[in-house]
Amino acid sequence: FFFLGCSAFQATMSATSAINDVADGVARKEHGINDGSGHQCHDHPYTGIDGDAAKRIESLTALLSETYGVKDAMLVRALCALGEGTAHIAVLMTNYVDHTYAGSQNSSGDEQLHLDIDCDNAVFASIRQSGVFAIAASEETPVETDVSPSNNSGEGSVFSVGFDPLDGSSIIDANFSVGSIFGIWPGKGVLGRTGREQVASAVSVYGPRTTLCIALPATTSGSGKPVVFEVTLVKDRTCWELSRDAIIIQPAGKVFAPGNLRAANDNAKYGALIDHWMKERYTLRYSGGMVPDVYHIFAKSKGVFSNVSSEKAKAKLRLLYEVAPIGLMVECSQGATTHEAYDMSVLDLEIDDLDRRLGVCFGSSEEVAIYKKFMFE
C-alpha cells in the first residue's frame, strides 16, 4: 500500500512540475513570490531530477521503515517529501550564480535573496505534493498556510511543518555550507504547540555533499528509543544512502561556536563565558550559519553552540523554524538544550507566536552545564 502511495506521490510531482509555471495563468518568467504556492521560477528550474524521484523515495522509505522501524507510513511519506525538497534545493544551489536580492524582507527584517524565495517554493511544492501535510509555515512565508490536498478526505495521519528553507543565506555568496531546517508536528497547526510534541525533525546541509539528518523521538522510532541518523544523496542524486547510523553527542568536548558574538560587548556574563572558553583552549568552529555550526557538533559528537542576546544585540533565532527542530535533534542524540536566560529545555517552550525569537545553548551536556553556571548563577 505504501509503495503505491510513493508512486502516486512521484506521479503527482511530475504532473505538478509541468503545470507549476502556468498554474494561475501567468507565465513564470520571473521569480515567484513567497506565498506558499510552490510555484517554480522559469530561470531556476529544479525538477530535472524528478525522473529519479521514485528511486530516492524508495531508498529513504526502506531506511525509515526497515532500518529504523517507523511504523506510520504517512510519517515516512512526510519525511520523504522533505527529502525531495532537499534534493530540489541542492539543484538550485548548484545552478544559482547571481545571489541577487528580491527587494523584500522576511519577518526578521532580513533582505530576501531570490534564492531564499525559490528554496521556499521548492519545499512548499514537495510538501503539497506529498498529500500528508495540513499546515505549513516557514521563515520566508511566516503564516500558517493550508497545504492540504483539495480532495483530502481526512483519512490517515496529517501533519504540520515549520521550516527554514535556507539557513545561512548571508554566507552563501562565500560558498560556505548552508542548510534547511524542518520540524514535523502531528495534526493541524503549529501555534500553541511545543517542540517536544514533534514526531520528527530534519536538517539538510548543502556543502561538498548533500546530507539529511533525521531525528526520531522514542514515540516514533521502532526501537522505542530516540535516534538521530544521517543519509547522503548519492549516485547523481538518485538515492539516499545511510552515512551515519546513530549520532550520539558525548557529554564533554572542547569545541565552541559562539553565535551573536557582539552581544558579549554589553552582556558581561556572556563575555566571561567566552573568556573561559578561550582560556581553557577550546577549539573555535564558527561559520556564521546555525546549521553548519550545530551540524559540526553532530559530526564530531561533541561541542557547544551558543547564541545569546543583549540589549543592543537582539535575539534572532525563531523557536518554530529553527530552535525547536534542532533542539529535538540535539536532545535525541543525548545532548542538552536550554533557553539563553533561564534553565529550561527549548522543547518545553510554547510556540505562542510564529515569530517568537530567543537565544539558546545547544550541545554536550557538560558544556551546556558550564554555560548555565556562567549565565544563570
Side-chain angles (χ1 to χ4, degrees):
F1 168 79
F2 179 68
F3 283 102
L4 177 62
C6 283
S7 299
F9 177 24
Q10 193 268 341
T12 303
M13 289 178 60
S14 299
T16 305
S17 64
I19 65 173
N20 258 349
D21 299 329
V22 291
D24 54 5
V26 178
R28 295 278 162 180
K29 297 186 181 300
E30 71 290 329
H31 299 276
I33 57 174
N34 51 319
D35 59 359
S37 63
H39 288 311
Q40 183 177 193
C41 167
H42 259 193
D43 291 337
H44 299 99
Y46 52 77
T47 52
I49 62 170
D50 282 358
D52 294 311
K55 295 179 182 178
R56 288 191 298 273
I57 293 169
E58 183 175 350
S59 63
L60 189 52
T61 294
L63 286 168
L64 289 165
S65 300
E66 299 169 16
T67 305
Y68 291 97
V70 179
K71 295 180 174 58
D72 186 341
M74 292 299 182
L75 179 58
V76 171
R77 190 166 175 176
L79 288 165
C80 286
L82 302 185
E84 285 303 287
T86 294
H88 288 152
I89 290 176
V91 173
L92 286 169
M93 294 291 174
T94 302
N95 296 312
Y96 238 97
V97 176
D98 297 322
H99 299 120
T100 54
Y101 287 98
S104 56
Q105 295 181 330
N106 62 19
S107 61
S108 298
D110 299 326
E111 293 291 332
Q112 289 178 307
L113 297 172
H114 285 123
L115 182 57
D116 286 316
I117 296 173
D118 284 346
C119 291
D120 194 52
N121 283 329
V123 176
F124 265 104
S126 293
I127 287 170
R128 288 180 178 277
Q129 291 156 11
S130 71
V132 297
F133 288 100
I135 294 292
S138 78
E139 183 177 325
E140 309 303 332
T141 307
V143 294
E144 288 193 312
T145 304
D146 185 349
V147 292
S148 56
S150 58
N151 62 346
N152 190 352
S153 64
E155 296 180 0
S157 300
V158 293
F159 303 100
S160 295
V161 59
F163 66 95
D164 182 353
L166 181 56
D167 176 79
S169 57
S170 63
I171 60 174
I172 194 171
D173 53 354
N175 208 23
F176 285 10
S177 292
V178 294
S180 303
I181 308 169
F182 311 94
I184 302 177
W185 280 262
K188 188 173 183 179
V190 292
L191 277 170
R193 315 294 287 273
T194 67
R196 205 167 295 282
E197 295 177 61
Q198 292 172 100
V199 292
S201 69
V203 171
S204 310
V205 177
Y206 312 101
R209 300 175 299 142
T210 297
T211 59
L212 179 66
C213 200
I214 296 174
L216 300 173
T219 54
T220 300
S221 73
S223 67
K225 298 178 181 179
V227 64
V228 178
F229 63 95
E230 178 198 78
V231 294
T232 299
L233 192 59
V234 297
K235 299 179 181 177
D236 296 325
R237 300 194 183 104
T238 62
C239 72
W240 292 100
E241 186 174 300
L242 187 64
S243 43
R244 289 190 175 99
D245 61 355
I247 294 173
I248 298 174
I249 300 175
Q250 299 169 14
K254 289 188 172 184
V255 180
F256 75 120
N260 206 18
L261 192 59
R262 63 174 65 90
N265 286 321
D266 58 322
N267 186 325
K269 291 184 176 181
Y270 195 32
L273 175 60
I274 291 167
D275 285 343
H276 165 79
W277 285 331
M278 292 191 293
K279 288 176 181 177
E280 293 298 317
R281 303 182 66 82
Y282 278 54
T283 300
L284 176 67
R285 288 292 180 265
Y286 181 70
S287 70
M290 185 182 185
V291 165
D293 291 340
V294 176
Y295 210 90
H296 187 268
I297 296 174
F298 298 139
K300 300 299 184 182
S301 300
K302 62 183 179 180
V304 61
F305 168 88
S306 61
N307 192 295
V308 176
S309 63
S310 70
E311 186 174 346
K312 294 181 180 178
K314 304 298 184 183
K316 292 186 67 177
L317 300 180
R318 260 81 48 186
L319 177 58
L320 171 60
Y321 311 122
E322 298 159 314
V323 173
I326 292 184
L328 180 70
M329 191 162 289
V330 170
E331 294 197 12
C332 283
S333 55
Q334 299 181 25
T337 73
T338 186
H339 186 282
E340 65 168 322
Y342 49 86
D343 190 358
M344 178 179 284
S345 165
V346 299
L347 297 183
D348 295 322
L349 300 172
E350 181 184 350
I351 303 167
D352 52 7
D353 187 319
L354 295 179
D355 193 46
R356 181 175 178 179
R357 307 179 200 190
L358 66 156
V360 302
C361 181
F362 293 155
S364 297
S365 58
E366 292 179 14
E367 305 303 335
V368 174
I370 291 172
Y371 171 93
K372 293 177 182 179
K373 180 179 179 180
F374 274 84
M375 300 299 295
F376 301 162
E377 295 181 4

